[in-house]
Amino acid sequence: MTSTTHFHFRTLPNLPGAEPWRALDAAVARWVLSHGGSRLLAEVAGWASYAEAQGDSALWLEPETPSRHGLRALSVEELSALAAEPMVTALAGDEAADTPFVLQFNHFYLRRNALHEIAVAADLRARRSHVEVLRMPCEANDLQALFEASDTEAVRPQTQAVMQVLGRRLFVLTGGPGTGKTTTVLRMLLALIREHHAQHARLPVIRLAAPTGKAARRLGDALRDSSKDLQDRADFRSSPWPQWLAPALQAEAMTVHRLLGSRGQQRGFVHHAGNPIGADVVLIDEASMLDLPLLRVLLDALAPSAVLVFVGDAEQLPPVGTGSVFLDLVRALEASAAGDVVRLQHSFRADQALVPVNAALRDGNPEAFVQACDAAGSRVQRQTCVTLPQLHACVQQWHQQLFSEWRDAGIFAPVSPEHLPKVLHAVRGRQLLCALREGPFGAEQVNARLEALFRQHAADSAVGAWYPGRTVMMTHNDAASGLFNGDIGICLRDGAGDLQVWFEGASATEEDQGPRAFAPDALPPHEGAFAITIHKSQGSEYGHVAVLLPPDADNAVLSRQLLYTAATRARMSLALWCSDSVLQATLIARNARSSALPQRLG
């Protein structure tokens, strides 16, 4: 007996405003029509697919109000009809939904995102509800040994974090660059180790992770640097704390995917609810990069008894994937005032010129931003850059500054081992960040122009695409080489005239791993790094930063979070390449992703 499958293809009707849709969005709408859904449901489902591509967990629907993506304003009657569709489940709580689409909290979901949000919220609520009685709470003398000037207003939020992380299954530490997050993290780990030992008579198993390999390595390096500062203090050495320092530093920092045991795309993870991660404490740094699906996988893979600590800057760009879960979590926890989140705001950087600039961006205050830029003087420069000649002039000037600094650092001369640290340090001194990746104002073409300018100075030493001074960024993790997505290396000439690509501390697993060299032809996948996107810069810091924004003020990429992320990469000076209208549009635009996670957590 043979069976026949019939496929019914429907022509997509002329839906209003659907011009921005991708082919996938149109396919979703056609699928709805081919399965008996109404034209209204097809229209909303197509926009929900489009909204997901823009990072939203769901399509926000408010009666008589158009969505931010382009869906027309729906009437109250249309919303009622939508909720009554057989393919739509209108949820009142966290009950299961078996239909392709879900409607809840005025949000229209593709089913998978609704399930992700419900599961994530349920896990986080369960973790928040558990508070243990402490055996080793942090007293005043404990804090004094951990922090110098522990009773000052600047340090008090850090000491609060150390006290409040104890006894909880979920804790969040947020703050901008220079606010002491890593300093606080190390001390939180010491307190958690001591408390766990008191509770269970054994040391805890600690796992440290970050969304990218570069961020994971920086976490490990920063913790070791912070431990050296602690051990330099006599009052710390004479306290009981040093015995817990080694267990804190023995934990290897790794990527979240490696923590989960990724089997590669479409093959899932080794760890899940049936095979949880063997850990008592899990700390995730740069948590703003976590998207909704990855957070669900992470929570599923953690034992309910594990302590989960998130660390990051809630005001940075949301992740490339779906949702803005870290920002949603921070807002929900801060609104509840339950003590499971601490925000660090005081900057401990020696150079304070850019602190008010970053604060104004964080707070979304355009007037304060302009005033802070004026007060910063030469530390913040503005250059109009809306035409190609203006862009080429900015790039040419940037090249001259970079070339002069690198020449003085010896980057173009044969490099000896004793001069290598100085050379590699110079690579972090200056970075050009682009809001766009493609197009004349994008990182790819701007990098190509800088490549051409630098290659002119090194034509005699060039071998193929390589020449002294060429910088590259890794685009994939490569465990075999110890290089990770986001790592930046520079091509240098040794005493024998051979070209090698050098990276700082190319292993995230060995404390004493120094710079490492690779043959250019042996490098894992990479791209030029004279100019990189702002997204790629997350987790890094540079001395001088230039930010190139697109020339059109209505570009959808513009947002305050974008500029904040770029500006906070700079330690000493910031240059803005844009027009006044583009800057103003950037300051008032906010990348507010639609999600009901805060309501679910509340």
Side-chain angles (χ1 to χ4, degrees), residues 185-203:
V185 162
L186 178 60
R187 289 149 178 81
M188 287 196 301
L189 288 175
L190 295 179
L192 286 168
I193 293 169
R194 188 180 72 164
E195 176 64 26
H196 189 277
H197 189 271
Q199 292 274 3
H200 305 284
R202 65 174 178 84
L203 293 173

mmCIF file of all heavy atoms in Angstrom, residues 185-203:
data_model
loop_
_atom_site.group_PDB
_atom_site.id
_atom_site.type_symbol
_atom_site.label_atom_id
_atom_site.label_comp_id
_atom_site.label_asym_id
_atom_site.label_seq_id
_atom_site.Cartn_x
_atom_site.Cartn_y
_atom_site.Cartn_z
ATOM 1 N N VAL A 185 34.573 39.970 42.036
ATOM 2 C CA VAL A 185 34.364 38.558 41.718
ATOM 3 C C VAL A 185 35.327 37.671 42.493
ATOM 4 O O VAL A 185 34.924 36.644 43.066
ATOM 5 C CB VAL A 185 34.522 38.333 40.197
ATOM 6 C CG1 VAL A 185 34.744 36.852 39.886
ATOM 7 C CG2 VAL A 185 33.299 38.847 39.468
ATOM 8 N N LEU A 186 36.607 38.029 42.528
ATOM 9 C CA LEU A 186 37.574 37.201 43.248
ATOM 10 C C LEU A 186 37.194 37.095 44.722
ATOM 11 O O LEU A 186 37.237 36.004 45.313
ATOM 12 C CB LEU A 186 38.983 37.783 43.106
ATOM 13 C CG LEU A 186 40.080 37.028 43.859
ATOM 14 C CD1 LEU A 186 40.181 35.583 43.390
ATOM 15 C CD2 LEU A 186 41.426 37.730 43.717
ATOM 16 N N ARG A 187 36.803 38.187 45.315
ATOM 17 C CA ARG A 187 36.438 38.175 46.733
ATOM 18 C C ARG A 187 35.130 37.425 46.980
ATOM 19 O O ARG A 187 34.977 36.768 48.015
ATOM 20 C CB ARG A 187 36.380 39.612 47.247
ATOM 21 C CG ARG A 187 37.790 40.227 47.362
ATOM 22 C CD ARG A 187 37.794 41.720 47.135
ATOM 23 N NE ARG A 187 39.137 42.283 47.291
ATOM 24 C CZ ARG A 187 40.088 42.257 46.358
ATOM 25 N NH1 ARG A 187 39.859 41.689 45.194
ATOM 26 N NH2 ARG A 187 41.270 42.806 46.583
ATOM 27 N N MET A 188 34.206 37.491 46.034
ATOM 28 C CA MET A 188 32.992 36.684 46.146
ATOM 29 C C MET A 188 33.336 35.196 46.101
ATOM 30 O O MET A 188 32.763 34.395 46.852
ATOM 31 C CB MET A 188 32.009 37.043 45.031
ATOM 32 C CG MET A 188 31.321 38.382 45.193
ATOM 33 S SD MET A 188 29.853 38.576 44.134
ATOM 34 C CE MET A 188 30.550 38.347 42.504
ATOM 35 N N LEU A 189 34.250 34.831 45.225
ATOM 36 C CA LEU A 189 34.650 33.431 45.140
ATOM 37 C C LEU A 189 35.283 32.954 46.448
ATOM 38 O O LEU A 189 35.008 31.840 46.923
ATOM 39 C CB LEU A 189 35.627 33.228 43.979
ATOM 40 C CG LEU A 189 35.034 33.319 42.570
ATOM 41 C CD1 LEU A 189 36.136 33.210 41.530
ATOM 42 C CD2 LEU A 189 33.985 32.241 42.347
ATOM 43 N N LEU A 190 36.131 33.778 47.045
ATOM 44 C CA LEU A 190 36.743 33.400 48.327
ATOM 45 C C LEU A 190 35.668 33.169 49.380
ATOM 46 O O LEU A 190 35.727 32.186 50.144
ATOM 47 C CB LEU A 190 37.703 34.498 48.786
ATOM 48 C CG LEU A 190 38.944 34.749 47.919
ATOM 49 C CD1 LEU A 190 39.779 35.886 48.508
ATOM 50 C CD2 LEU A 190 39.778 33.491 47.780
ATOM 51 N N ALA A 191 34.681 34.074 49.440
ATOM 52 C CA ALA A 191 33.619 33.926 50.434
ATOM 53 C C ALA A 191 32.761 32.693 50.158
ATOM 54 O O ALA A 191 32.358 31.970 51.089
ATOM 55 C CB ALA A 191 32.758 35.187 50.459
ATOM 56 N N LEU A 192 32.488 32.421 48.888
ATOM 57 C CA LEU A 192 31.693 31.247 48.531
ATOM 58 C C LEU A 192 32.435 29.958 48.858
ATOM 59 O O LEU A 192 31.828 28.979 49.330
ATOM 60 C CB LEU A 192 31.352 31.286 47.043
ATOM 61 C CG LEU A 192 30.278 32.295 46.615
ATOM 62 C CD1 LEU A 192 30.260 32.445 45.101
ATOM 63 C CD2 LEU A 192 28.905 31.865 47.125
ATOM 64 N N ILE A 193 33.731 29.926 48.613
ATOM 65 C CA ILE A 193 34.529 28.731 48.931
ATOM 66 C C ILE A 193 34.520 28.487 50.431
ATOM 67 O O ILE A 193 34.316 27.353 50.898
ATOM 68 C CB ILE A 193 35.963 28.894 48.400
ATOM 69 C CG1 ILE A 193 35.969 28.899 46.871
ATOM 70 C CG2 ILE A 193 36.870 27.783 48.934
ATOM 71 C CD1 ILE A 193 37.291 29.305 46.264
ATOM 72 N N ARG A 194 34.736 29.536 51.208
ATOM 73 C CA ARG A 194 34.759 29.377 52.668
ATOM 74 C C ARG A 194 33.405 28.900 53.183
ATOM 75 O O ARG A 194 33.336 28.000 54.036
ATOM 76 C CB ARG A 194 35.137 30.703 53.317
ATOM 77 C CG ARG A 194 35.367 30.598 54.825
ATOM 78 C CD ARG A 194 35.746 31.930 55.445
ATOM 79 N NE ARG A 194 34.606 32.858 55.507
ATOM 80 C CZ ARG A 194 34.580 33.958 56.256
ATOM 81 N NH1 ARG A 194 35.641 34.266 56.994
ATOM 82 N NH2 ARG A 194 33.534 34.751 56.253
ATOM 83 N N GLU A 195 32.326 29.476 52.677
ATOM 84 C CA GLU A 195 30.991 29.084 53.136
ATOM 85 C C GLU A 195 30.660 27.650 52.734
ATOM 86 O O GLU A 195 30.106 26.884 53.531
ATOM 87 C CB GLU A 195 29.946 30.042 52.567
ATOM 88 C CG GLU A 195 28.506 29.691 52.879
ATOM 89 C CD GLU A 195 28.190 29.737 54.364
ATOM 90 O OE1 GLU A 195 28.882 30.475 55.095
ATOM 91 O OE2 GLU A 195 27.259 29.040 54.800
ATOM 92 N N HIS A 196 31.010 27.264 51.509
ATOM 93 C CA HIS A 196 30.733 25.900 51.061
ATOM 94 C C HIS A 196 31.514 24.888 51.895
ATOM 95 O O HIS A 196 30.982 23.826 52.261
ATOM 96 C CB HIS A 196 31.090 25.749 49.578
ATOM 97 C CG HIS A 196 30.650 24.442 48.980
ATOM 98 N ND1 HIS A 196 31.386 23.279 49.107
ATOM 99 C CD2 HIS A 196 29.542 24.110 48.268
ATOM 100 C CE1 HIS A 196 30.763 22.297 48.486
ATOM 101 N NE2 HIS A 196 29.652 22.767 47.972
ATOM 102 N N HIS A 197 32.750 25.204 52.202
ATOM 103 C CA HIS A 197 33.559 24.303 53.029
ATOM 104 C C HIS A 197 32.941 24.161 54.418
ATOM 105 O O HIS A 197 32.931 23.061 54.999
ATOM 106 C CB HIS A 197 34.991 24.823 53.122
ATOM 107 C CG HIS A 197 35.937 23.860 53.768
ATOM 108 N ND1 HIS A 197 36.154 23.833 55.136
ATOM 109 C CD2 HIS A 197 36.718 22.865 53.245
ATOM 110 C CE1 HIS A 197 37.035 22.891 55.420
ATOM 111 N NE2 HIS A 197 37.397 22.288 54.297
ATOM 112 N N ALA A 198 32.437 25.252 54.960
ATOM 113 C CA ALA A 198 31.803 25.192 56.278
ATOM 114 C C ALA A 198 30.512 24.382 56.247
ATOM 115 O O ALA A 198 30.181 23.668 57.208
ATOM 116 C CB ALA A 198 31.521 26.608 56.780
ATOM 117 N N GLN A 199 29.781 24.462 55.137
ATOM 118 C CA GLN A 199 28.510 23.751 55.026
ATOM 119 C C GLN A 199 28.700 22.257 54.752
ATOM 120 O O GLN A 199 27.957 21.421 55.275
ATOM 121 C CB GLN A 199 27.669 24.367 53.895
ATOM 122 C CG GLN A 199 27.175 25.771 54.161
ATOM 123 C CD GLN A 199 25.870 25.785 54.934
ATOM 124 O OE1 GLN A 199 25.353 24.754 55.332
ATOM 125 N NE2 GLN A 199 25.353 26.985 55.176
ATOM 126 N N HIS A 200 29.700 21.908 53.906
ATOM 127 C CA HIS A 200 29.797 20.543 53.395
ATOM 128 C C HIS A 200 31.116 19.850 53.721
ATOM 129 O O HIS A 200 31.324 18.708 53.301
ATOM 130 C CB HIS A 200 29.607 20.557 51.874
ATOM 131 C CG HIS A 200 28.338 21.209 51.433
ATOM 132 N ND1 HIS A 200 27.112 20.595 51.539
ATOM 133 C CD2 HIS A 200 28.096 22.453 50.904
ATOM 134 C CE1 HIS A 200 26.167 21.407 51.082
ATOM 135 N NE2 HIS A 200 26.739 22.543 50.689
ATOM 136 N N ALA A 201 32.018 20.529 54.426
ATOM 137 C CA ALA A 201 33.310 19.953 54.823
ATOM 138 C C ALA A 201 34.144 19.528 53.605
ATOM 139 O O ALA A 201 34.893 18.541 53.664
ATOM 140 C CB ALA A 201 33.106 18.769 55.763
ATOM 141 N N ARG A 202 33.997 20.224 52.516
ATOM 142 C CA ARG A 202 34.822 19.980 51.324
ATOM 143 C C ARG A 202 34.858 21.260 50.502
ATOM 144 O O ARG A 202 34.002 22.143 50.652
ATOM 145 C CB ARG A 202 34.279 18.836 50.481
ATOM 146 C CG ARG A 202 32.919 19.108 49.870
ATOM 147 C CD ARG A 202 32.510 17.981 48.926
ATOM 148 N NE ARG A 202 31.181 18.212 48.369
ATOM 149 C CZ ARG A 202 30.923 18.966 47.301
ATOM 150 N NH1 ARG A 202 31.936 19.581 46.664
ATOM 151 N NH2 ARG A 202 29.695 19.113 46.857
ATOM 152 N N LEU A 203 35.858 21.332 49.635
ATOM 153 C CA LEU A 203 35.943 22.483 48.740
ATOM 154 C C LEU A 203 34.914 22.361 47.627
ATOM 155 O O LEU A 203 34.625 21.250 47.165
ATOM 156 C CB LEU A 203 37.346 22.573 48.132
ATOM 157 C CG LEU A 203 38.497 22.900 49.097
ATOM 158 C CD1 LEU A 203 39.825 22.776 48.361
ATOM 159 C CD2 LEU A 203 38.326 24.303 49.665
#
